[in-house]
Amino acid sequence: MTHSFKAMVVTENPPGTFTRRITQKSIAELPPGDVLIEVRFSSLNYKDALSAIGNKGVTRTYPHTPGIDAAGIVVEGKGSDFSPGDPVLVTGYDLGMNTSGGFGQFIRVPADWVVRLPEGLSLKESMILGTAGFTAGLSVSKIVAHSIHPGRGKILVTGASGGVGSMAVAILSRIGYAVAAATGKIEEADFFKSLGASEVIPREEIKDTPKKALLKERWAAVVDTVGGEYLAAALKTTAYQGAVTCCGNVASASLSLTVYPFILRGITLYGVDSANNPMAHRKAVWEKLAGPWKPDSLFAITNEISLSALDSYIDRILEGKLKGRTIVNMTDSQI
Ligand SMILES: NC(=O)c1ccc[n+]([C@@H]2O[C@H](COP(=O)([O-])OP(=O)(O)OC[C@H]3O[C@@H](n4cnc5c(N)ncnc54)[C@H](OP(=O)(O)O)[C@@H]3O)[C@@H](O)[C@H]2O)c1
């Protein structure tokens, strides 16, 4: 087995200044853990970019290798249920936060973070989905469990060109919902069509009207990925007994609201956390993503890059300029 591998390493020097480069790391540098995995694919999420620019809410100590997603082949299972050669994926927990992450060609993690690759997904497809697809799957599972069937009306997805948003549009349309995609990239009509959206809305149109406690009912449910006034507006425009899911804060972490959507329309606001979602539910959602919820459009909305190209994509995701999913092919030996 090789003892060194390539990884993106973010360093802090001088304090408060962060630099990232692709370099060699050794297996011995990895944290202790049960399962050593040779990473074949990773993916880029907004949180990875925060870790890569020194956001201490995500990563406390540097040098550090980001990457909250990894899919690959088990090299050592150390008494766990995993054996060398098993295809597996890891998303969330502490991977890529304070544990060396998927932007390295090897990771070592506790066995209870590891999900066996479900039948119906390749390693590459599992990373096209990645944390974004898993989070979208969790959001959709809340809407389905809330008894919102396709006949109840349209579902709004905010941040629709982003990782979670595009996956939510694709999953919801795959299982028969009419989906309105709210976006800042209205010119990308073909992209949203390929995801299965039935309507594309400029995001300014769904911004909040702060003086009004409630607005005209428009949606059976909303998958919100951006927060702030978009989330406030989503809660005010969801129809009676509807549901809104909240997972992100790219627009804002604040939420300014009255209680009226809850006490007059019976709206439910569901929080979605993918990182620490319990393993039994995690596996159940991955089974759905590999089967009946698997988007038809996975490859059409994916950009595959090498580790050497990752740096510029980190800047682009921070600027909100990426669309769909960006996966990183970790088998590329070029630095
Ligand atoms: N809770 C969890 O477990 C969990 C898991 C994954 C992600 N997240 C969070 O969910 C959010 C989305 O993640 P992601 O990986 O999908 O990010 P992403 O790929 O960067 O997508 C975010 C999208 O939001 C829209 N957007 C960007 N800046 C905006 C602004 N200032 N105002 C309004 N909309 C804006 C853009 O879409 P349009 O141009 O189409 O509008 C952008 O593509 C992030 O906050 C992330 O941290 C949470």
Side-chain angles (χ1 to χ4, degrees):
M1 186 183 71
T2 176
H3 291 282
S4 69
F5 62 91
K6 292 182 184 70
M8 171 175 276
V9 176
V10 183
T11 45
E12 180 176 14
N13 188 22
T17 302
F18 296 86
T19 332
R20 38 187 200 255
R21 68 197 165 101
I22 310 300
T23 186
Q24 289 291 134
K25 274 176 85 163
S26 75
I27 302 273
E29 284 176 71
L30 290 174
D34 315 304
V35 189
L36 178 66
I37 299 165
E38 184 178 345
V39 179
R40 298 282 167 85
F41 292 95
S42 183
S43 87
L44 178 60
N45 296 279
Y46 193 76
K47 204 178 197 178
D48 299 318
L50 295 179
S51 172
I53 57 166
N55 183 310
K56 297 269 168 117
V58 178
T59 300
R60 287 186 304 274
T61 50
Y62 296 83
H64 172 64
T65 295
I68 63 172
D69 287 347
I73 303 294
V74 171
V75 177
E76 280 172 15
K78 241 200 215 168
S80 70
D81 288 344
F82 298 98
S83 307
D86 287 348
V88 293
L89 64 98
V90 182
T91 66
Y93 297 104
D94 192 50
L95 186 71
M97 294 182 70
N98 292 290
T99 298
S100 187
F103 297 162
Q105 289 174 317
F106 284 83
I107 57 170
R108 187 157 49 207
V109 294
D112 54 10
W113 293 6
V114 183
V115 174
R116 215 170 276 286
L117 188 71
E119 210 167 299
L121 279 187
S122 65
L123 289 171
K124 188 188 272 196
E125 287 172 327
S126 78
M127 286 295 99
I128 297 176
L129 289 157
T131 285
F134 179 57
T135 306
L138 288 172
S139 309
V140 171
S141 70
K142 305 271 187 209
I143 288 171
V144 170
H146 199 83
S147 302
I148 295 179
H149 53 79
R152 292 259 307 255
K154 269 192 186 152
I155 314 291
L156 173 71
V157 176
T158 63
S161 73
V164 182
S166 59
M167 286 295 144
V169 174
I171 295 166
L172 286 163
S173 54
R174 166 84 167 80
I175 56 178
Y177 291 91
V179 185
T183 181
K185 305 183 187 82
I186 195 77
E187 68 285 358
E188 300 283 355
D190 289 348
F191 173 76
F192 294 108
K193 213 179 192 180
S194 74
L195 293 175
S198 56
E199 190 182 345
V200 184
I201 303 175
R203 68 182 182 214
E204 297 73 42
E205 203 188 283
I206 53 133
K207 266 193 172 172
D208 194 19
T209 310
K211 283 190 183 139
K212 295 196 172 173
L214 286 169
L215 296 164
K216 186 171 174 275
E217 296 178 36
R218 292 180 77 180
W219 323 110
V222 179
V223 174
D224 176 63
T225 73
V226 300
E229 57 180 318
Y230 300 94
L231 176 57
L235 287 156
K236 293 179 187 179
T237 52
T238 296
Y240 191 73
Q241 298 262 309
V244 176
T245 66
C246 157
C247 72
N249 59 354
V250 285
S252 170
S254 300
L255 182 58
S256 173
L257 205 64
T258 68
V259 296
Y260 292 115
F262 307 109
I263 67 172
L264 295 180
R265 288 191 183 154
I267 303 303
T268 301
L269 173 58
Y270 286 105
V272 172
D273 168 58
S274 61
N276 293 300
N277 203 262
M279 189 46 92
H281 190 224
R282 183 178 288 264
K283 284 182 181 164
V285 170
W286 275 109
E287 290 296 331
K288 293 256 193 214
L289 291 170
W293 291 5
K294 185 176 173 182
D296 303 321
S297 48
L298 277 185
F299 286 94
I301 59 167
T302 302
N303 191 15
E304 181 175 332
I305 62 168
S306 64
L307 191 55
S308 53
L310 181 57
D311 190 64
S312 66
Y313 281 80
I314 288 172
D315 294 332
R316 286 168 66 188
I317 199 169
L318 287 167
E319 290 163 11
K321 285 190 179 154
L322 290 186
K323 65 176 201 283
R325 293 283 291 145
T326 301
I327 59 165
V328 190
N329 185 334
M330 298 298 297
T331 63
D332 188 344
S333 57
Q334 302 294 312
I335 286 197

